[in-house]
Amino acid sequence: MTAATSSMTGTGAARGASEVGPLRVELRSVNGKGLQVKQRLCREVAGLESAFEDEVRQRMSRGSITLVVDRDGGSALPDRTQLAVLANELKQLSSSLGLQADLSLRDVLDLAERARPQAERDAAPKVLALVRAAID
């Protein structure tokens, strides 16, 4: 672990593959008395906000920091094949239960998000590594 930087004005960036797809991470810092961390995060990593703030606070003790984590190209939607499989499984389930299969795209997307493994949603080591690389 690197020692906390007392003050910094500058930028850092990292790009790479992660558990949620390719990401771009940017960090901008200007001098300031205290430490203020602002974040702009894509939907895929919104649940990691406190982990990102912890990473910044471990390495910096002063400044106004802006951390941006965004998708790096590609579609923001989950894989179409996986969504089609999920929609088909839901239709089969509703049929076997004698229910009406009036699924909307929102229903399928919401369920796809909930079906993602907990580890992928809550602890993403590759995403955190990209944030560390942007900080360092």
Side-chain angles (χ1 to χ4, degrees):
M1 184 181 304
T2 59
T5 303
S6 62
S7 179
M8 179 181 120
T9 297
T11 61
R15 282 187 143 104
S18 76
E19 294 85 350
V20 296
L23 294 177
R24 176 182 46 85
V25 179
E26 295 176 9
L27 183 114
R28 291 184 296 278
S29 172
V30 294
N31 282 335
K33 280 190 171 185
L35 179 60
Q36 180 183 19
V37 181
K38 299 177 222 159
Q39 299 183 42
R40 290 195 342 237
L41 309 175
C42 62
R43 173 185 65 82
E44 293 83 358
V45 299
L48 296 169
E49 185 174 352
S50 64
F52 296 157
E53 182 149 351
D54 289 346
E55 289 295 332
V56 171
R57 289 187 180 281
Q58 286 176 13
R59 290 171 169 73
M60 304 181 82
S61 60
R62 293 182 49 185
S64 178
I65 314 300
T66 302
L67 176 68
V68 179
V69 181
D70 206 359
R71 295 188 56 79
D72 192 20
S75 173
L77 292 173
D79 179 80
R80 287 176 185 250
T81 303
Q82 291 175 346
L83 289 176
V85 167
L86 179 59
N88 189 44
E89 288 175 358
L90 289 171
K91 287 177 185 176
Q92 289 176 2
L93 177 61
S94 70
S95 176
S96 70
L97 295 173
L99 302 172
Q100 197 173 26
D102 56 347
L103 295 172
S104 70
L105 178 58
R106 176 173 293 227
D107 295 333
V108 176
L109 290 172
D110 285 346
L111 190 57
E113 177 66 21
R114 293 172 202 247
R116 283 182 30 217
Q118 189 70 30
E120 183 180 311
R121 286 183 278 145
D122 294 339
K126 291 178 183 176
V127 175
L128 290 172
L130 288 171
V131 170
R132 286 185 204 109
I135 295 170
D136 294 339

